[in-house]
């Protein structure tokens, strides 16, 4: 191996130096930021439309440790949006299919798979050891469970949802001044266990756009950077081609982060 050009590069191989060169050129990242990403541990709940995009970009960026939670198998009707999975993988477990795609993209990335549905008796064990959690799930019971667990464990949660042509995104960063997920959605909506895509359809690229934004927020969190989305909700209307963001307020009577 040839001598490294600068002390900053000392920990990175020649191969990694080339692979991540465009990351390191970003002033806010550099090789110090790249080292943070390599040491980073991000859990993604759901290897579907949101999670596919988020996971691929996190692995590509060089996040060293990814966790994938999904208790389903790949179905043909998933493939119009769940770009982690391939036609030949129909019938395969999604968590395993995701891990294979991610390590093929970046062999430096270690992937832990959780082939299960999150439940009150396993959620704490699953999030254990991760620094940032992405909610890329498709149902409210999982969203509420994850939001509560992450808030209580002090873990930042990047939550996204997409249906039809629309998506939304927020960051719930535990702290006395910050609103949590349930400040926005206090109670589970009725009939919320049905995945939205099953009932209403979804454009794959819209889910992908939101998943990409989740990856951006997770990468910033690993760099220790704050984001407006800690206190705002970002909404995307793919049909109109419009982004909007609105303030989120901390609810004094919030069932999760209130007194
Ligand atoms: Zn709250």
């Amino acid at each position: 191996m040839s001598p490294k050009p600068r002390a900053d590069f000392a920990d990175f191989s020649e191969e990694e130096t080339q692979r991540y060169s465009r990351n390191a050129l970003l002033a806010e990242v550099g090789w110090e930021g790249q080292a943070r990403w390599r040491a980073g541990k991000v859990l993604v709940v759901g290897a579907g439309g949101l999670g596919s995009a988020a996971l691929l970009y996190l692995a590509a960026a060089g996040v060293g440790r990814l966790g994938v939670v999904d208790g389903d198998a790949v179905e043909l009707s998933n493939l119009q949006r769940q770009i982690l999975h391939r036609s030949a993988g129909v019938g395969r477990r999604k968590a395993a299919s995701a891990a294979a795609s991610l390590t093929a993209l970046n062999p430096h990335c270690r992937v832990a798979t959780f082939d299960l549905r999150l439940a009150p008796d396993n959620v704490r064990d699953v999030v254990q050891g991760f620094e940032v959690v992405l909610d890329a799930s498709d149902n409210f019971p999982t969203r509420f469970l994850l939001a509560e667990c992450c808030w209580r464990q002090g873990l930042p949660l990047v939550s996204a949802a997409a249906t039809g042509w629309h998506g939304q995104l927020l960051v719930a960063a535990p702290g006395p001044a910050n609103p949590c997920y349930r400040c926005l959605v206090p109670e589970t909506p009725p009939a919320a266990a049905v995945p939205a895509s099953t009932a209403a359809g979804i454009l794959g690229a819209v889910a992908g756009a939101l998943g990409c934004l989740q990856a951006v927020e997770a990468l910033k969190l690993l760099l220790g950077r704050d984001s407006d989305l800690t206190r705002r909700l970002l909404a995307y209307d793919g049909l109109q081609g419009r982004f909007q963001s609105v303030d989120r307020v901390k609810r004094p009577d919030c069932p999760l982060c209130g007194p």
Side-chain angles (χ1 to χ4, degrees), residues 151 178-184 249-251 253-258:
W151 191 268
N178 292 339
C180 77
Y181 178 78
R182 291 189 67 179
C183 288
L184 185 71
V249 291
K250 198 172 176 74
R251 236 174 228 270
D253 61 343
C254 175
L256 178 55
C257 72

Side-chain angles (χ1 to χ4, degrees), residues 111-136:
V111 183
T113 57
F114 300 88
D115 188 346
L116 50 80
R117 280 185 183 277
L118 281 188
D121 64 355
N122 64 24
V123 63
R124 270 187 71 164
D125 288 342
V126 171
V127 305
Q128 184 78 35
F130 289 96
E131 297 167 85
V132 175
V133 177
L134 270 56
D135 182 353

Side-chain angles (χ1 to χ4, degrees), residues 13-230:
S13 68
E14 292 292 331
E15 192 269 355
E16 288 172 296
T17 305
Q18 285 186 40
R19 181 184 287 269
Y20 303 130
S21 59
R22 302 305 191 274
N23 290 342
L25 284 169
L26 294 168
E28 299 78 7
V29 181
W31 290 102
E32 189 189 336
Q34 190 66 51
R36 285 195 188 206
W37 288 348
R38 186 172 61 177
K41 303 177 186 77
V42 179
L43 181 73
V44 179
V45 177
L50 297 162
S52 282
L55 282 162
L56 285 167
Y57 276 104
L58 292 171
V63 174
R65 179 74 191 261
L66 292 171
V68 182
V69 184
D70 204 304
D72 291 334
V74 179
E75 296 176 25
L76 196 52
S77 64
N78 298 155
L79 298 182
Q80 53 82 270
R81 66 193 183 283
Q82 302 184 13
I83 58 173
L84 263 174
H85 313 297
R86 297 287 170 265
S87 297
V90 170
R92 197 175 176 194
R93 305 303 299 168
K94 271 192 192 174
S97 168
S101 292
L102 296 169
T103 51
L105 174 59
N106 188 347
H108 301 289
C109 181
R110 287 189 301 144
V111 183
T113 57
F114 300 88
D115 188 346
L116 50 80
R117 280 185 183 277
L118 281 188
D121 64 355
N122 64 24
V123 63
R124 270 187 71 164
D125 288 342
V126 171
V127 305
Q128 184 78 35
F130 289 96
E131 297 167 85
V132 175
V133 177
L134 270 56
D135 182 353
S137 70
D138 61 0
N139 65 85
F140 275 101
T142 300
R143 291 186 182 285
F144 274 61
L145 186 65
L146 198 55
E148 177 167 347
C149 181
C150 289
W151 191 268
R152 297 203 194 285
Q153 301 291 311
L155 281 169
L157 175 72
V158 183
S159 182
T163 181
W165 294 82
H166 298 266
Q168 56 184 43
L169 179 76
L170 64 85
V171 177
N178 292 339
C180 77
Y181 178 78
R182 291 189 67 179
C183 288
L184 185 71
V185 189
E187 301 302 333
T188 308
V194 180
S197 64
T198 308
I202 183 166
L203 189 71
V206 168
L210 272 294
C212 288
L213 293 172
Q214 284 184 286
V216 172
E217 294 303 316
L219 291 167
K220 287 192 303 185
L221 284 163
L222 291 176
L223 296 177
R225 298 186 73 90
D226 193 18
S227 170
D228 275 5
L229 295 180
T230 301

